[in-house]
Amino acid sequence: MILSKDNLKLIAAENVVVPNAEIFELPEKVLQFGTGVLLRGLPDYFIDKANREGVFNGRVAVVKSTGGNTSEFDTQDALYTLCVRGIENGQPVSENIISSAISRVIAAEKDWQAILDIAKSAELQLVVSNTTEVGIQYVEERIESNPPTSFPAKLLAVLYERFKAFNGDNSKGLVIVATELIPDNGTKLGEIVLKLAHHNQLEANFIAWLASANTFCNSLVDRIVPGKPDAEAFAALQEELGYEDALLSMTEPYRLWAIEGGKHVADVLSFATVDEGVIIAEDIEIYRELKVRLLNGTHTLSSGIAFLLGIDTVKNAMTNDLISNYIETLMATEIGPAIPYEVDKKQSDAFANAVKDRFANPSIEHLWTSIAFQYTMKLKIRILPLLLNYYKIFNQVPAHIAFGFAAYLAFSRAQREENGLYFGLDNGASYRLNDDSAPYLFEKYSQHQNSFVEEVLGDENIWGVNLTQLTGFIPEVKALYLDIINQGAETSLSKFMSAQLKEA
């Protein structure tokens, strides 16, 4: 039995949340650009939850911008199952939800007019996008194309169609929420759309309406949505559920959609009231800082250590007392207090606890080798602001951050080059360094093996700051680095953590 609207009545509801028939009568209030699992597992999750509670009462029309095949969605009436698995507040979570948030998926290449018709609907209130970072780019083109090529041009065409349909009525403007993973995503999208409007020589009245009646919102999304599990787990889930679902997706319990906006945005996005994971605020920078420092920063500092310990995934690291204690202490004593934004301890502790639950999720295979991708750049972006702020506050070496840098250098000693690829060596095993800085690290290690730490950390061209001015930092990293390469990561980390415990 395939999941579909007609087959819902045949599905046993004891282990899955099944939508009510009334939901299928709700109007399309959202136009969504993107069919990916993140949108289906986060914004559409919140909308579906609100609809089930009788709050938002609107469905999502989805634009498929690449390719014309929507058969997977059409076959299942755009229904799909979200299987929520993981740990929340220290407790295991297992929930299956048939989402009825999406009304239909429209291929822009095949039926652009259907999308323009939605633009003319009085029910439409919200546009949501996730077109990847590449999607928010300025492409000089005419919006009369069928369809325009770029996402901003498609959006401009929709807004222009709406302007004409309602004769420039300011009350018919839309809230537009970008979720692409770039800073100031909504602001940048709005700037590009405005620039395109001028390029298309659209009338002054429309440009005024574009600016005054529509609200472009920055937003931050945070949820791991791996999508379809491996074949064995997928077959087991379908057996458990009692139906076939080609769109079934796994997701973790944690969810955050922080949206920059005021009362008008909150009124339109009424689904925010049914789940604390949606936050609407005038300033969302605090949520970005918590994520980038406590989640991403902890990942980055721990990746080299975990790899050198022989641990493959994040969940497996959390069952190892040595590195799990390192991670917990790192967040509590160095990252949390040094976040370069005004964050109170209660907030940082709560976020850190959620991070630990997420790291320990037994249902997600997150490889440390993937986290170590572009290791140098990630340290620079995620950790340097923390390091500098820690010195500003405490004027001393943050020992756990120093250990993370030492492991980075031990991991990143590029010792072999082959056909333009660079490799490290650990316990006789070779591994590839997926880092744009690998050629530089290879050259430094080849020429300055004994002073590798000083050469790399003392290079202001790499880090953008002079780390030699941080009293004691480079010597401390050097000592820890030598411990790691001479005694091995496990002995070195064990000795380090014992010493920190005595000092505490």
Side-chain angles (χ1 to χ4, degrees):
M1 178 176 67
I2 295 172
L3 176 62
S4 68
K5 184 178 171 182
D6 289 340
N7 288 336
L8 285 178
K9 59 183 177 293
L10 304 175
I11 294 172
E14 60 264 18
N15 67 338
V16 61
V17 176
V18 180
N20 295 321
E22 294 78 15
I23 287 176
F24 297 99
E25 305 304 317
L26 295 176
E28 293 174 332
K29 290 186 177 181
V30 184
L31 184 62
Q32 175 176 297
F33 287 83
T35 59
V37 292
L38 178 64
L39 287 173
R40 286 189 272 134
L42 193 63
D44 298 345
Y45 166 87
F46 293 126
I47 290 167
D48 178 65
K49 183 177 180 180
N51 286 342
R52 283 188 276 112
E53 296 185 21
V55 175
F56 181 65
N57 296 321
R59 300 182 79 201
V60 183
V62 176
V63 179
K64 191 176 191 296
S65 292
T66 55
N69 187 359
T70 61
S71 59
E72 272 193 327
F73 290 93
D74 299 340
T75 300
Q76 298 185 185
D77 298 315
L79 296 169
Y80 60 94
T81 312
L82 274 180
C83 298
V84 185
R85 300 289 188 276
I87 300 171
E88 190 171 36
N89 299 321
Q91 299 300 312
V93 173
S94 180
E95 186 179 23
N96 306 309
I97 303 163
I98 296 175
S99 175
S100 55
I102 297 175
S103 56
R104 53 179 167 155
V105 176
I106 307 163
E109 290 179 7
K110 286 188 173 180
D111 199 359
W112 179 237
Q113 186 56 50
I115 296 161
L116 294 180
D117 288 344
I118 293 171
K120 295 182 278 190
S121 166
E123 303 285 357
L124 185 64
Q125 297 179 346
L126 172 65
V127 173
V128 177
S129 73
N130 192 301
T131 54
T132 77
E133 299 88 309
V134 179
I136 300 185
Q137 299 285 342
Y138 178 72
V139 178
E140 206 164 80
E141 60 176 318
R142 303 297 301 174
I143 62 168
E144 296 89 354
S145 302
N146 187 14
T149 303
S150 69
F151 160 57
K154 288 184 177 75
L155 177 57
L156 176 60
V158 164
L159 292 171
Y160 188 53
E161 195 73 19
R162 189 168 184 80
F163 168 80
K164 291 185 294 181
F166 294 104
N167 297 313
D169 183 346
N170 264 16
S171 70
K172 294 300 189 289
L174 301 176
V175 172
I176 299 138
V177 184
T179 70
E180 288 79 1
L181 298 177
I182 57 173
D184 302 320
N185 41 25
T187 300
K188 288 175 181 173
L189 177 59
E191 289 169 350
I192 292 170
V193 169
L194 181 60
K195 187 176 179 181
L196 271 170
H198 285 291
H199 170 71
N200 280 265
Q201 298 178 319
L202 300 178
E203 56 264 41
N205 284 350
F206 167 73
I207 290 174
W209 179 85
L210 178 64
S212 64
N214 299 276
T215 308
F216 287 82
C217 300
N218 298 320
S219 88
L220 172 72
V221 289
D222 188 9
R223 192 178 208 182
I224 299 171
V225 189
K228 191 180 294 185
D230 62 61
E232 184 178 348
F234 182 62
L237 276 169
Q238 294 202 121
E239 178 73 21
E240 174 192 335
L241 294 168
Y243 57 83
E244 296 177 26
D245 180 0
L247 297 170
L248 180 149
S249 290
M250 305 296 295
T251 183
E252 67 172 338
Y254 181 84
R255 58 215 176 267
L256 172 67
W257 191 14
I259 303 161
E260 205 167 78
K263 185 180 183 304
H264 171 62
V265 172
D267 288 344
V268 172
L269 277 56
S270 60
F271 54 79
T273 60
V274 305
D275 195 294
E276 62 184 11
V278 187
I279 294 165
I280 299 171
E282 297 284 0
D283 181 6
I284 62 169
E285 190 60 28
I286 184 174
Y287 304 102
R288 190 181 310 281
E289 283 293 325
L290 287 167
K291 176 182 183 291
V292 169
R293 310 306 172 195
L294 281 166
L295 177 68
N296 304 134
T298 302
H299 263 155
T300 299
L301 283 169
S302 307
S303 58
I305 304 170
F307 180 87
L308 295 172
L309 286 171
I311 300 172
D312 56 349
T313 63
V314 175
K315 70 176 183 181
N316 288 336
M318 298 309 286
T319 64
N320 179 295
D321 288 343
L322 202 53
I323 192 165
S324 64
N325 287 339
Y326 167 85
I327 285 171
E328 184 168 352
T329 312
L330 167 72
M331 288 195 291
T333 64
E334 294 180 12
I335 293 182
I339 291 173
Y341 195 85
E342 190 173 335
V343 181
D344 66 47
K345 189 174 185 304
K346 186 178 178 182
Q347 282 178 301
S348 64
D349 286 351
F351 196 89
N353 287 333
V355 167
K356 285 183 282 185
D357 283 345
R358 300 174 74 184
F359 282 10
N361 190 336
S363 301
I364 293 178
E365 300 283 341
H366 203 171
L367 294 170
W368 286 112
T369 49
S370 299
I371 293 166
F373 178 77
Q374 299 297 5
Y375 207 159
T376 307
M377 179 194 70
K378 288 177 178 176
L379 273 178
K380 181 179 177 180
I381 293 172
R382 298 170 176 177
I383 305 303
L384 276 190
L386 284 168
L387 176 62
L388 297 175
N389 204 42
Y390 190 92
Y391 263 89
K392 184 178 177 182
I393 298 167
F394 302 106
N395 194 31
Q396 64 183 40
V397 178
H400 293 76
I401 291 176
F403 196 96
F405 267 87
Y408 151 75
L409 290 162
F411 174 87
S412 300
R413 293 176 296 153
Q415 299 172 64
R416 181 167 66 87
E417 184 270 334
E418 186 177 311
N419 299 322
L421 304 178
Y422 296 85
F423 298 85
L425 194 66
D426 180 54
N427 291 325
S430 180
Y431 55 91
R432 185 181 167 192
L433 298 175
N434 289 300
D435 189 334
D436 287 345
S437 295
Y440 165 86
L441 294 163
F442 177 72
E443 179 186 344
K444 287 294 183 185
Y445 190 71
S446 300
Q447 296 178 6
H448 307 280
Q449 192 165 325
N450 293 329
S451 58
F452 179 59
V453 174
E454 295 91 337
E455 287 288 329
V456 175
L457 294 188
D459 192 340
E460 196 169 341
N461 291 323
I462 288 290
W463 306 106
V465 294
N466 186 353
L467 296 180
T468 62
Q469 293 183 349
L470 302 180
T471 306
F473 182 68
I474 293 179
E476 178 72 8
V477 173
K478 176 69 174 282
L480 293 167
Y481 164 84
L482 291 173
D483 265 359
I484 292 170
I485 63 172
N486 291 328
Q487 301 181 51
E490 185 170 359
T491 300
S492 180
L493 183 58
S494 179
K495 188 172 75 171
F496 170 81
M497 292 301 292
S498 295
Q500 294 304 307
L501 194 59
K502 287 176 184 175
E503 286 182 18

